[in-house]
Amino acid sequence: MDDMPQYRKYMTQALELAHRGAGWVNPNPLVGTVVVRDGEILAAGYHDRYRGPHAESMAFDYADEHGIDMHGATVIDTLEPCCHVGSQPACTDLILSHGITRVVVGSIDPNPIVAGKGLRILEENGVEVVYDVMRAECDAINRHFFHYITTGMGVRTKC
């Protein structure tokens, strides 16, 4: 795919953003988002604190506050967008309401309430989804979250 090097460039930026939430979002995952169109970054965000806005929400809030039209843009996401309403709105709803045409994702969320459903909702609504861009790197930043979600147990770390 011709766009793959460009996706990797933006995913690297999304990963850098995601790392900013380290120590603040637990037990939630680290997530970074970059929204681009025609080679220009329109907005970006990251999950910055537990129960705080999700990365996508932070990016869309910025765009809304600055009058940036997101129609036809691509969302680069380190983790599959959520599709449920909890303490935050469903990111899939935000993506659809902003006219996003493509979502590039690194990791699939193993949480059973998401687990591929978010991406399926997007695809069913005409959004192109590109899977597994820099998956190893995206999985690595959330290895503790993935372990917790899949086993229900925390991860022991060395002191």
Side-chain angles (χ1 to χ4, degrees):
M1 180 177 281
D2 293 351
D3 292 328
M4 201 56 71
Q6 185 175 359
Y7 293 157
R8 290 182 61 81
K9 172 182 140 183
Y10 294 123
M11 187 64 78
T12 298
Q13 292 174 310
L15 281 161
E16 290 169 2
L17 288 168
H19 280 288
R20 293 183 185 179
W24 298 101
V25 301
N26 193 36
N28 294 148
L30 296 170
V31 184
T33 298
V34 177
V35 185
V36 299
R37 186 176 54 225
D38 300 326
E40 177 187 355
I41 295 176
L42 303 176
Y46 66 99
H47 185 44
D48 67 347
R49 67 187 180 282
Y50 178 66
R51 294 203 181 273
H54 290 179
E56 300 90 343
S57 184
M58 184 183 276
F60 290 129
D61 285 350
Y62 174 87
D64 292 346
E65 290 167 10
H66 291 85
I68 300 169
D69 177 17
M70 303 288 252
H71 281 81
T74 297
V75 168
I76 312 289
D77 243 334
T78 58
L79 183 67
E80 174 182 6
C82 71
C83 55
H84 64 283
V85 177
S87 60
Q88 298 297 317
C91 293
T92 52
D93 291 346
L94 293 172
I95 288 167
L96 294 172
S97 69
H98 282 82
I100 300 300
T101 56
R102 180 182 300 120
V103 172
V104 175
V105 67
S107 297
I108 305 299
D109 192 332
N111 188 332
I113 61 176
V114 182
K117 294 175 194 150
L119 298 175
R120 192 166 49 255
I121 287 168
L122 295 173
E123 288 177 324
E124 287 170 356
N125 283 279
V127 176
E128 177 189 354
V129 175
V130 178
Y131 291 82
D132 298 333
V133 173
M134 297 180 66
R135 181 169 184 169
E137 295 89 335
C138 291
D139 285 356
I141 66 167
N142 282 311
R143 71 182 189 282
H144 297 294
F145 171 73
F146 288 2
H147 179 80
Y148 170 74
I149 287 296
T150 57
T151 67
M153 300 169 26
V155 175
R156 291 188 173 196
T157 56
K158 294 182 180 179
C159 295

